[in-house]
Amino acid sequence: MRDRPDGKRSANGKSFDPERLFLPPDDDLAPNRPGETLRARLDASGTGRAALVLARLLGRRPVEDVWRRALAAEQAVGAALEELTAGGWDVVHSVVLPGDTVVSHLLIGPGGVFAVAATAGRRAHVHVGETLVRLSRERQSLPYVREIRHAAARASHVLSRGCGFLVRVRPVLVVVGAASLEVAPELDDVRVLRETEVSGLGAEAGELHPRRADRVHTVARNRRVWLWA
């Protein structure tokens, strides 16, 4: 496949893809904040404060509490990723795919493209296996590894089609606030990090030429390209 035309250069030295001029504001994902989808769910929740308090007193777990913990994790990871933009990286948050799959963060830059998911460790002992995540305080294992692996594969397909060249998207799972973290040695295709290690992604280099990184960012921020993921 052939590269796209270079486009113009902006004042900060990054190439400017003319396609962005024709991207309607409602279709531009660039302004998304970390956890945008979770914020919308919480805003739309009809559960009142009194009902939430009663549910907690009865030992139930309101889904709103789960969303708030997940939102806090996404915000922490999103803030760490945003710090990498000074080094030539771009971030797109809360990319929604058909089937209610959400890629929490797409990090795009010289080191390639990463699909980053954040999960709340809740001060628990966390074990990450080949497909599941186990928290010491939870009865059931959670399919976070399988989900981010699948989301990264779908993102790779969409971005490759939209860019006109192969875009490899690598899955990353960030565990926020865990008391301890153990990763199965056989897990070699999904990178697992603590929130304090996110900045290390910025040291990656040599994967994408700047023109291609800019092109990937232009495609990734277009909501409509994800409708057929």
Side-chain angles (χ1 to χ4, degrees), residues 144-206:
Y144 296 146
V145 179
R146 183 170 64 241
E147 289 175 353
I148 188 57
R149 181 185 288 126
H150 186 51
R154 293 174 70 182
S156 178
H157 174 73
V158 169
L159 294 174
S160 296
R161 181 180 59 199
C163 292
F165 53 83
L166 178 63
V167 179
R168 185 166 68 110
V169 180
R170 288 176 281 177
V172 178
L173 179 65
V174 183
V175 182
V176 179
S180 66
L181 177 62
E182 179 186 4
V183 182
E186 58 270 22
L187 180 62
D188 57 3
D189 65 324
V190 177
R191 185 178 301 190
V192 181
L193 305 173
R194 288 178 175 270
E195 69 272 24
T196 55
E197 300 171 322
V198 171
S199 61
L201 293 173
E204 300 280 335

Side-chain angles (χ1 to χ4, degrees), residues 89-106:
W89 293 80
D90 290 298
V91 190
V92 181
H93 304 288
S94 298
V95 178
V96 179
L97 280 59
D100 292 330
T101 295
V102 179
V103 180
S104 300
H105 319 277
L106 273 175

Side-chain angles (χ1 to χ4, degrees), residues 19-42:
E19 248 182 58
R20 298 185 190 180
L21 290 174
F22 302 99
L23 188 59
D26 288 346
D27 289 333
D28 191 356
L29 302 179
N32 277 6
R33 299 168 295 175
E36 194 76 42
T37 306
L38 289 166
R39 294 172 190 265
R41 289 178 185 174
L42 286 166

Side-chain angles (χ1 to χ4, degrees), residues 136-147:
S136 57
R137 299 180 180 184
E138 299 289 340
R139 294 181 180 180
Q140 294 183 333
S141 297
L142 303 166
Y144 296 146
V145 179
R146 183 170 64 241
E147 289 175 353

